[in-house]
Amino acid sequence: MISKKIGFKLTLAVVAAALLTKGVFAYFNVRAHSESLLAEVERHANQLSEAVKSSTEYDMLLNQRERIHDTIRRLGNQRSIQRIRIMNKAGAVIYSSDETEIGRMVDKKAESCYRCHSAGRPLERLEMKARTRVFRLRADAGRTLGIINPIYNQPSCWTAACHAHPRSQIVLGVLDVTMPLAEVDREIRRGQLGIVVFAVSTMLLLSLIIFYFVRRWVDDPVRELLSATERVANGDLDTTIRHIRDDEMGQLARSFNNMTRKLSDARLQLFQSDKLASLGRLAAGVAHEINNPLTGVLTYSSFLLKRTQDQPELQADLQVIVRETLRSREIVKSLLDFARQSVPKKVSADLLEIVERAASVTESQLALNHVKLVRELDAGLPKVTVDANQIQQVFVNLFVNAADAIGPQGGAITVTAASLSLPPAGNIQIKKAQCPKRHSLIDEELRIGGKPAIRVKARSSRGEEGLVHLDPMYGGGAHRYGAGLEGARDLRFSCPECASALTVAGQSCPRCAAPVYAVEVPQKGLAEGCTRAGCGWQRWEAIESTGDQEFLELRVRDTGCGMPKEVLSRIFEPFFSTKGQKGTGLGLAVIWGIVDNHNGTIAVESEVGAGTTFVLRLPVKP
Amino acid sequence: MTARRDLLVVDDEAVIVDAVVKICSAEGLSVDTAARGAAGLELLEKASYRLILCDIMMADMDGFQFLAELGRRGVRTPLVMATGYSTVENAVRSLSCGAVDFIPKPFTSDELLAVVRRALRYGDLRAASGDPVPGALEFVPCPPGDHRLGFVSWARLEPSGTVLLGVCDSFLKTVGGIRVISLSPAGEELVQGRSCAMIAAADGPDHPVMCPVSGRILEVNPAASMDPGAVERDPYFAGWLYRIVPSDLEFDLRRLTVCGPEGR
């Protein structure tokens, strides 16, 4: 419905306002124009009337009536003059350009006499304005302007030889000139028409211009926003508005994008935490259910082991049962630990040994699939501080996954290791951050790059307030600013809980001179950074001073089927499985949790048909 | 007077009950069993026991309810909590509720015997002191102002914000003579309710010491690892084990008991 559109309504309102102002303007314009034209004609008529008076005066004194008749007739024949006549005091027409009229008495009530005779007694002096009149001879005739000019008694009149007028008479007669106004009326009509044409055309042009800009500035962005909202309502939270203008519509679009992104994050988090909660319940159930039968196995086998110390042929086998049951116990415990995200029990360990142990556990399964496990590991690698059981579980899971990806036709898994030094920026995560009053700033609900963000409150000097989520990866610039805060150069950060200032007084960013914030990382000093969006300057003195960080990088490469991109992005999610009934979808999520608990990273590279490589980085020092 | 028995096992898992009976009987202990809490309470009316081994998750009541019921009935028999849902929370909660020890399932026969022996010795020590008032103890669990986890370990807050950890006198006495104490190195993370040290007893079995407060080890007492005798002689001062930087002190302290002026 076009009448419901905001653009149409706006155009209509603007055109109506213009119409009103233009109408008033045109009315006064036309009036002034016609008045000035009429005044011109009036002046002209008066001049003519004076000319007639003076040109006949001499003839009058000489009482040469024929000459007067002739003069009036000639003048009255001019096109611009309708009629000239002279009436005497009694109202009889003495001279006229229309000769049929001569000798007739004029009705004093008629238009040319009305001015003076209306008050009963004739007036003797008249203003020019009062001497003119506009009238129509007949209803269907054009307008006519008449001007009367009284002829006053003068000494020369009563001393003249004819002695026609006594001295006591004041007004001797009246000269009446009438002129047609057809020309003037035509002129006025032409003016009116011009103004109407001008008004209509400017109105059309104005509405076209308004329509164009309303469409550009309001209609299009609103339409885009509307369709984006509909897409979001239909569940597509990845919707963003691409064309962002500089005005309020642009702000609205930015705000909308911000909102959908947060909504999408929140949904993902909800999804993840939901999965993790189910995982926790599952783990608790599994732990309890499996631990009871395991207790039976462990108590009986360990008891048997003690009682058969004199039977060495049994001892070795019983030892295997006890050892493997103890390992099962650790696995169940780590499942519980993962579900509860607890701290790993780290000791200095040789990764070579851990890989060997993982290899021996998976040996039979790999052999069954004709998978060769190639270990290209240097003996000189540094030791790492890790929970050996958990890291072993990582490798066991990776090997079993690789064997599954390779399938029964056989292939190879290659494990390589290298020690590398990496700068702290981009490789170390800020896991704990607090305000001066020791409130935690870590927001478990909002994750950036899968890691809990640092949440602070921000306020600009213009009074805009909102939240800022800082990228917890040191040197990572994926901070998220609340609506309206992105452009501000002078933000002040504070603790969302107690409002303690986090902005450092008297310090400014060395890159862009904006204010600098500082958050406390327990036992690791202050982490500082620029408050302005897009600057990205950060400094973490305690970490920088230790120089580059030593990492051990392990690559587990298989010759399996590989994975497409859409699968890659989801493989670390709990309960995501490509193995159907065969898998629980927990393996890689557990691995991710373990590696994260070790402050390490795990990444995956894959090519469909060529194989997959998992890249594991663990810090050498905890 | 009612019969005097050594051990009452309350657990609804038959295979575990059987295994415990087998292992403890082989050590010469007399064992009774109950599959439910109510049945266990009935047995306790008929006979007196030196020790109760109780599962946390049972069909009719959980281990904590069972423990509370014992308190209401004035039964002072030491109780060891066992569970297959062996979280740190359950371990700490058991001790703070008054259980003398906690054993996570699954356990080996040696681990079971170590806990049972320790708990029996605890009961004996208490009986030897005459047990005049319920709750009063013959040994000092820790100096006034310190915090203790059950009767196992203690924590002392230092003005600098660090925390000193050690083993309680009561625990050392139940272990018997110490042969070796194995400690974790500095820099490692300790978790409340997890084992933070392993005490090898002179008579054989290893006894894990449950950690009272979570945190990172700043310093290990060299005297403790070099000379286990120092720990035994002065467990609260010269025989401290670790100085740690606590990770969440406020949370941990809520589950510890503050030692009173009478050394309770």
Side-chain angles (χ1 to χ4, degrees):
Chain A
M1 248 322 233
I2 190 157
S3 61
K4 292 264 163 85
K5 286 195 149 191
I6 188 166
F8 178 77
K9 287 183 192 169
L10 211 57
T11 312
L12 206 66
V14 169
V15 167
L19 202 64
L20 195 70
T21 49
K22 197 126 260 196
V24 171
F25 171 76
Y27 170 76
F28 285 105
N29 201 10
V30 166
R31 220 172 93 153
H33 183 65
S34 44
E35 267 172 16
S36 80
L37 279 175
L38 211 58
E40 183 61 31
V41 175
E42 219 168 59
R43 205 176 50 79
H44 178 64
N46 192 46
Q47 266 176 2
L48 186 77
S49 135
E50 286 298 326
V52 171
K53 213 166 129 183
S54 51
S55 61
T56 54
E57 190 180 357
Y58 185 66
D59 289 335
M60 292 240 190
L61 283 177
L62 296 180
N63 204 15
Q64 298 206 348
R65 289 172 180 248
E66 262 320 298
R67 281 179 63 98
I68 298 170
H69 270 302
D70 189 48
T71 309
I72 288 179
R73 200 170 33 246
R74 262 187 291 119
L75 284 169
N77 278 348
Q78 281 182 37
R79 246 187 69 218
S80 63
I81 297 167
Q82 198 177 47
R83 188 175 63 180
I84 303 175
R85 54 181 178 175
I86 296 174
M87 284 149 294
N88 66 7
K89 180 87 175 35
V93 176
I94 304 163
Y95 305 103
S96 175
S97 54
D98 179 5
E99 280 173 28
T100 59
E101 223 182 12
I102 298 175
R104 256 207 316 234
M105 285 299 285
V106 175
D107 176 11
K108 278 185 191 161
K109 292 263 165 12
E111 66 291 318
S112 50
C113 315
Y114 187 70
R115 288 286 172 203
C116 302
H117 296 279
S118 62
R121 197 182 77 83
L123 291 170
E124 284 142 7
R125 299 270 162 206
L126 270 179
E127 288 300 310
M128 162 125 123
K129 194 84 206 151
R131 289 191 279 119
T132 57
R133 69 204 185 277
V134 175
F135 64 94
R136 284 176 203 278
L137 279 178
R138 294 181 303 278
D140 58 337
R143 291 199 303 165
T144 306
L145 179 120
I147 184 161
I148 50 171
N149 199 349
I151 302 165
Y152 299 106
N153 203 0
Q154 292 171 28
S156 50
C157 297
W158 70 76
T159 53
C162 52
H163 302 290
H165 308 292
R167 192 179 170 167
S168 59
Q169 213 172 345
I170 299 169
V171 178
L172 302 181
V174 173
L175 171 68
D176 179 29
V177 180
T178 54
M179 301 175 84
L181 285 178
E183 194 68 30
V184 173
D185 283 343
R186 241 196 322 280
E187 192 67 24
I188 289 171
R189 268 199 301 281
R190 211 169 22 243
Q192 277 172 338
L193 191 71
I195 281 173
V196 167
V197 167
F198 173 73
V200 167
S201 56
T202 50
M203 218 79 75
L204 271 174
L205 198 66
L206 189 71
S207 44
L208 271 177
I209 291 170
I210 295 284
F211 185 71
Y212 172 76
F213 283 107
V214 163
R215 198 186 167 84
R216 228 188 116 148
W217 291 338
V218 181
D219 255 14
D220 288 352
V222 164
R223 200 173 318 117
E224 197 174 359
L225 207 59
L226 203 67
S227 73
T229 318
E230 266 161 18
R231 283 201 301 278
V232 169
N234 288 333
D236 176 15
L237 290 182
D238 294 326
T239 301
T240 49
I241 293 169
R242 276 183 301 276
H243 303 104
I244 290 182
R245 316 178 56 84
D246 257 356
D247 48 19
E248 288 93 330
M249 281 294 176
Q251 269 180 21
L252 189 63
R254 250 195 298 275
S255 182
F256 177 86
N257 283 350
N258 210 349
M259 183 190 77
T260 49
R261 198 178 52 199
K262 279 189 179 159
L263 215 57
S264 146
D265 281 352
R267 186 172 69 168
L268 194 71
Q269 287 297 323
L270 203 67
F271 199 48
Q272 284 283 73
S273 57
D274 208 34
K275 279 181 174 181
L276 281 173
S278 336
L279 175 59
R281 279 195 295 278
L282 184 77
V286 164
H288 190 242
E289 291 310 314
I290 287 186
N291 275 341
N292 276 329
L294 275 184
T295 311
V297 177
L298 193 55
T299 44
Y300 274 104
S301 55
S302 58
F303 187 50
L304 214 52
L305 187 65
K306 249 171 61 178
R307 281 177 47 188
T308 55
Q309 270 160 358
D310 51 341
Q311 290 167 272
E313 74 280 6
L314 281 180
Q315 286 280 300
D317 293 352
L318 281 171
Q319 265 161 8
V320 172
I321 297 177
V322 170
R323 194 188 67 211
E324 290 309 299
T325 316
L326 286 175
R327 209 166 65 76
S328 311
R329 170 168 90 174
E330 288 306 307
I331 291 170
V332 174
K333 209 164 100 191
S334 58
L335 189 65
L336 257 182
D337 284 352
F338 168 72
R340 310 184 51 76
Q341 303 278 328
S342 74
V343 187
K345 189 168 161 46
K346 293 176 199 164
V347 288
S348 184
D350 191 349
L351 264 181
L352 226 61
E353 229 170 72
I354 295 174
V355 172
E356 280 310 314
R357 265 164 50 195
S360 66
V361 171
T362 49
E363 216 166 29
S364 56
Q365 195 172 351
L366 298 190
L368 207 69
N369 277 13
H370 310 288
V371 176
K372 224 173 90 186
L373 184 62
V374 185
R375 278 150 280 179
E376 294 173 2
L377 300 166
D378 211 344
L381 288 170
K383 285 195 163 193
V384 283
T385 309
V386 293
D387 184 319
N389 270 317
Q390 288 193 349
I391 298 297
Q392 182 188 336
Q393 201 189 335
V394 169
F395 283 107
V396 168
N397 276 342
L398 288 181
F399 294 164
V400 171
N401 276 345
D404 283 341
I406 288 167
Q409 78 281 4
I413 301 172
T414 314
V415 186
T416 55
S419 139
L420 67 163
S421 280
L422 295 171
N427 290 300
I428 294 187
Q429 181 196 347
I430 301 175
K431 286 195 165 179
K432 284 180 186 172
Q434 49 187 225
C435 78
K437 289 190 180 159
R438 311 191 91 182
H439 291 120
S440 175
L441 302 170
I442 297 295
D443 187 353
E444 293 286 343
E445 308 277 303
L446 198 144
R447 284 162 188 260
I448 297 177
K451 298 170 172 67
I454 301 167
R455 186 174 61 141
V456 296
K457 206 165 131 187
R459 188 186 166 88
S460 74
S461 60
R462 281 188 296 170
E464 288 157 317
E465 269 191 347
L467 287 176
V468 173
H469 283 93
L470 299 168
D471 190 345
M473 187 55 96
Y474 173 54
H479 313 307
R480 293 194 191 159
Y481 282 71
L485 298 173
E486 241 159 21
R489 288 186 57 89
D490 48 6
L491 290 178
R492 306 270 149 189
F493 285 1
S494 60
C495 170
E497 219 164 303
C498 67
S500 311
L502 299 172
T503 310
V504 187
Q507 197 179 331
S508 54
C509 172
R511 250 189 241 167
C512 71
V516 166
Y517 68 83
V519 294
E520 195 196 328
V521 185
Q523 297 149 40
K524 285 174 186 164
L526 288 176
E528 299 167 310
C530 179
T531 53
R532 193 174 67 85
C535 172
W537 176 82
Q538 268 187 318
R539 187 175 60 201
W540 190 2
E541 205 60 54
I543 292 298
E544 288 290 352
S545 62
T546 59
D548 285 0
Q549 309 286 306
E550 291 290 317
F551 285 88
L552 211 56
E553 188 182 84
L554 287 120
R555 291 173 161 265
V556 178
R557 191 173 73 234
D558 68 51
T559 57
C561 54
M563 286 176 283
K565 266 212 170 66
E566 56 273 22
V567 171
L568 277 187
S569 63
R570 298 192 54 199
I571 56 168
F572 293 112
E573 286 178 17
F575 299 115
F576 178 79
S577 177
T578 54
K579 297 181 188 172
Q581 292 295 315
K582 229 176 124 191
T584 58
L586 286 176
L588 285 170
V590 172
I591 288 179
W592 194 89
I594 291 173
V595 173
D596 190 52
N597 272 338
H598 280 83
N599 298 327
T601 57
I602 184 159
V604 61
E605 299 159 4
S606 188
E607 201 179 313
V608 175
T612 304
T613 306
F614 280 92
V615 184
L616 185 66
R617 271 184 197 164
L618 292 169
V620 171
K621 284 185 204 130
Chain B
M1 182 56 203
T2 48
R4 177 86 177 158
R5 307 277 290 169
D6 290 316
L7 185 62
L8 172 63
V9 184
V10 188
D11 197 325
D12 52 5
E13 194 78 16
V15 66
I16 297 171
V17 174
D18 288 349
V20 173
V21 169
K22 212 162 232 173
I23 292 164
C24 294
S25 304
E27 292 293 308
L29 297 169
S30 51
V31 188
D32 282 346
T33 64
R36 278 158 191 269
L41 290 171
E42 261 172 50
L43 282 176
L44 276 164
E45 282 174 5
K46 289 182 205 144
S48 77
Y49 293 89
R50 292 173 66 199
L51 177 67
I52 303 166
L53 181 68
C54 179
D55 189 31
I56 291 184
M57 292 192 185
M58 290 182 296
D60 58 343
M61 62 174 82
D62 70 22
F64 300 110
Q65 289 170 324
F66 186 78
L67 191 58
E69 185 57 36
L70 289 188
R72 268 197 290 280
R73 292 175 180 219
V75 178
R76 306 260 300 112
T77 312
L79 183 141
V80 172
M81 209 68 98
T83 185
Y85 190 47
S86 55
T87 61
V88 171
E89 281 76 14
N90 273 338
V92 176
R93 190 173 162 204
S94 300
L95 294 195
S96 61
C97 284
V100 294
D101 223 323
F102 173 87
I103 182 165
K105 288 181 193 173
F107 40 76
T108 65
S109 55
D110 286 342
E111 285 165 349
L112 173 69
L113 287 174
V115 169
V116 167
R117 280 206 196 100
R118 223 161 46 219
L120 287 174
R121 209 169 283 153
Y122 175 88
D124 292 346
L125 282 170
R126 204 169 60 182
S129 74
D131 199 8
V133 192
L137 283 167
E138 63 294 340
F139 32 62
V140 181
C142 56
D146 283 3
H147 300 257
R148 62 178 170 86
L149 176 60
F151 296 101
V152 175
S153 52
W154 57 267
R156 183 176 305 143
L157 313 186
E158 295 183 307
S160 59
T162 52
V163 176
L164 218 55
L165 308 184
V167 199
C168 285
D169 186 29
S170 45
F171 188 79
L172 291 170
K173 286 219 167 76
T174 58
V175 162
I178 304 175
R179 189 160 40 88
V180 186
I181 297 183
S182 320
L183 297 173
S184 302
E188 232 185 83
E189 296 282 345
L190 297 179
V191 180
Q192 185 187 42
R194 286 276 178 80
S195 150
C196 64
M198 195 63 90
I199 298 181
D203 60 355
D206 289 342
H207 300 275
V209 179
M210 226 181 262
C211 184
V213 172
S214 305
R216 195 165 47 85
I217 303 173
L218 207 61
E219 196 184 348
V220 182
N221 185 5
S225 46
M226 300 290 244
D227 172 21
V231 179
E232 266 183 301
R233 280 191 303 277
D234 187 4
Y236 295 114
F237 297 98
W240 59 274
L241 300 185
Y242 303 108
R243 175 167 283 124
I244 67 160
V245 179
S247 49
D248 196 348
L249 191 60
E250 227 173 281
F251 178 78
D252 290 351
L253 287 184
R254 258 181 269 154
R255 298 189 285 185
L256 300 183
T257 313
V258 183
C259 296
E262 285 89 35
R264 284 187 53 200

